[in-house]
Amino acid sequence: MKKLAGNVLLTAGLIAGSIAAARIPPMWGGLAASLAVMGAGIVLRRQGAREELHRAAESGTGGVGELERLLGEAIGRLEKILDAPAEKAHAELTKILEELDEFAEKAQPLRIEGLMTYGKIMSIFSRGERALNRAWSAFADGYEKEGRKYLRYGYEDLKETLAAVRAMKA
């Protein structure tokens, strides 16, 4: 609710500020008031976003436990295709990448722990996801040797991400 109220105040302040500033000469009092309304909207919006992150972490729709489960499943499935035939590896990698699309959304509650923690986990994960996408592309184009190389890189990066997520629990 706070996020919605913040958005409304931010929008109203923006419109009022635009009208006040467009006048010649500008209506400085109206512009100052609209900036204050926009500031209040920003504060409410941020509070609402923070509350949403806390609710998501508490309800289990994100956060450490959910990420640990998602990564563990993906790593287990990757282990099975490291030495599989290229066609099988490509097909399974397609499914794994589709499931990993949820990771960024489910990682949002980690921002509660701080941006440095969130940034560290997301940078390791994104490196691994890029490697897996490269592996998928290489397998699709028939470059099996390159596909296997990037599949290993992605696998190692996901294991590193899982270790970083588990370290948060400690």
Side-chain angles (χ1 to χ4, degrees):
M1 191 63 172
K2 283 185 180 181
K3 196 171 178 181
L4 175 64
N7 284 336
V8 169
L9 286 176
L10 190 58
T11 303
L14 180 66
I15 292 169
S18 298
I19 292 169
R23 306 253 335 201
I24 297 180
M27 296 172 41
W28 297 110
L31 185 59
S34 66
L35 287 174
V37 169
M38 287 174 64
I42 291 170
V43 169
L44 280 175
R45 190 175 182 336
R46 292 190 72 170
Q47 285 177 351
R50 190 172 295 120
E51 288 173 3
E52 283 180 8
L53 291 176
H54 282 286
R55 277 194 302 273
E58 290 170 2
S59 69
T61 57
V64 176
E66 184 72 14
L67 296 179
E68 191 173 1
R69 181 196 62 77
L70 186 66
L71 287 170
E73 289 175 3
I75 289 169
R77 291 172 69 187
L78 283 172
E79 288 172 347
K80 293 177 184 175
I81 64 168
L82 287 174
D83 297 317
E87 297 81 24
K88 183 180 181 198
H90 182 260
E92 187 65 21
L93 195 52
T94 301
K95 296 173 189 169
I96 293 169
L97 286 169
E98 287 173 359
E99 291 172 7
L100 287 177
D101 278 344
E102 300 174 24
F103 187 88
E105 183 179 326
K106 292 186 183 293
Q108 291 302 314
L110 296 181
R111 293 184 357 212
I112 297 168
E113 305 293 327
L115 283 180
M116 292 301 290
T117 303
Y118 175 76
K120 177 183 176 189
I121 289 173
M122 289 307 294
S123 65
I124 299 168
F125 172 76
S126 64
R127 185 177 64 213
E129 186 182 32
R130 274 192 309 276
L132 292 176
N133 278 311
R134 286 181 181 158
W136 181 91
S137 181
F139 281 128
D141 293 339
Y143 298 102
E144 186 174 344
K145 185 177 177 184
E146 183 180 351
R148 298 228 179 264
K149 179 175 96 173
Y150 282 107
L151 185 61
R152 288 231 178 258
Y153 289 161
Y155 170 73
E156 293 299 325
D157 287 336
L158 287 188
K159 282 178 38 178
E160 187 179 343
T161 306
L162 181 59
V165 168
R166 287 183 174 156
M168 287 181 63
K169 289 173 72 173

